[in-house]
Amino acid sequence: MDLVVGRLGRPHGVHGEISVEVRTDEPEIRFAKGSKLSLKETNKQLTVFSSRWHQEKMLVKFEEITDRDLANEIKGKTLIIKIDPNKIETKKDQYYEFQLVGLNVIDKNQTALGQIKEI
């Protein structure tokens, strides 16, 4: 199963660093040096070389992206990781989107409204 962890923004500088709109509660783990991430659109694998916070955005340098032109090629793409849905741990009252699909929806009067199809 694919889990979205970020969306790539604009390149930062000339050495391939790129901004990331973080979509995970664990950015320090997901963007740690050596972490393997994939581009959802192409399935290309990227390896985190370094990451740092800059003006409320994360800047990430990937081993495979060595200059601004290469960073520009992946701009706007979605970063994912492969996870086993059976091994996911969540805190109380926290859920991943895929865990909600298929649940029945009821209003405060206990009237059935339908089922969650997609998020």
Side-chain angles (χ1 to χ4, degrees), residues 9-119:
R10 296 174 27 190
H12 182 83
V14 296
H15 300 292
E17 202 171 37
I18 189 166
S19 65
V20 175
E21 179 185 315
V22 175
R23 296 192 180 164
T24 177
D25 290 339
E26 303 171 319
E28 56 284 334
I29 294 170
R30 303 296 184 208
F31 296 98
K33 183 175 180 146
S35 293
K36 305 282 187 192
L37 306 171
S38 296
L39 297 177
K40 180 179 181 180
E41 296 80 1
T42 64
N43 211 30
K44 178 180 179 173
Q45 190 172 43
L46 299 173
T47 307
V48 176
F49 179 77
S50 64
S51 62
R52 64 188 175 99
W53 288 102
H54 177 70
Q55 297 178 356
E56 297 183 21
K57 289 231 178 190
M58 179 166 277
L59 297 178
V60 179
K61 173 79 174 95
F62 296 103
E63 291 178 9
E64 298 80 4
I65 307 299
T66 56
D67 62 34
R68 185 178 187 87
D69 292 335
L70 290 173
N72 223 9
E73 289 177 16
I74 61 172
K75 176 182 172 182
K77 302 220 180 316
T78 304
L79 291 168
I80 59 171
I81 58 168
K82 303 280 185 195
I83 59 167
D84 181 346
N86 298 316
K87 295 184 178 179
I88 293 179
E89 293 182 27
T90 55
K91 297 175 184 169
K92 184 179 179 182
D93 296 330
Q94 288 186 333
Y95 306 94
Y96 286 97
E97 291 176 354
F98 75 88
Q99 294 171 316
L100 301 176
V101 174
L103 293 178
N104 293 320
V105 179
I106 57 173
D107 66 14
K108 63 183 177 183
N109 298 320
Q110 302 300 309
T111 303
L113 301 175
Q115 194 175 71
I116 298 174
K117 299 282 185 198
E118 67 179 338
I119 298 176

